[in-house]
Amino acid sequence: MVMSGAGHAHVSAAEHLLYVDSLLRVTCTVMPGPSLVRLEGDIDVTNRAEAVSALQRARRIDADLIVDVGRVGFIDLAGLRSLLGLAACDGVVVRNTPRQMRRLIDVLGLPPLG
């Protein structure tokens, strides 16, 4: 993201804003090799369907993705299961799993995110 002199944020040509609301921002930066998808914020019942849709759009942009979840502060169980489903796809790597997300995965006995 580039900041203009007036302090406004502009998305660079290689970065696609896939979804944004008051809780969550999802971007996809097209790169040589796997593209980078960043999730920042909270995923819950109010935005889970849109978050999943944004991740599906990212897969149409590039079949090979690195999904960075390091800035996800909260994710509900259904959102986590959707993320696990994406992580099971060929060509998708999830990285920077926050401690609270790893703990939820461990408590529920779910497979790790990578």
Side-chain angles (χ1 to χ4, degrees):
M1 186 165 12
V2 178
M3 299 298 281
S4 71
H8 293 95
H10 296 284
V11 177
S12 66
E15 183 177 78
H16 301 273
L17 179 61
L18 300 178
Y19 179 75
V20 66
D21 67 18
S22 63
L23 297 175
L24 179 67
R25 178 181 173 88
V26 182
T27 60
C28 180
T29 303
V30 178
M31 302 170 49
S35 292
L36 176 63
V37 176
R38 283 193 179 97
L39 289 88
E40 300 176 35
D42 298 337
I43 303 168
D44 65 14
V45 69
T46 65
N47 62 10
R48 179 186 332 111
E50 292 84 358
V52 169
S53 178
L55 291 170
Q56 291 168 344
R57 282 195 307 280
R59 288 281 289 176
R60 288 192 294 273
I61 292 170
D62 192 341
D64 296 326
L65 298 174
I66 296 170
V67 180
D68 189 317
V69 294
R71 293 186 178 168
V72 172
F74 172 83
I75 188 167
D76 66 10
L77 181 56
L80 180 59
R81 288 188 180 190
S82 296
L83 193 57
L84 285 164
L86 178 70
C89 295
D90 288 337
V92 176
V93 174
V94 177
R95 72 174 190 192
N96 294 332
T97 308
R99 182 177 52 85
Q100 73 276 13
M101 195 181 299
R102 287 192 313 265
R103 180 179 154 97
L104 180 59
I105 289 168
D106 289 344
V107 166
L108 296 172
L110 299 171
L113 273 172

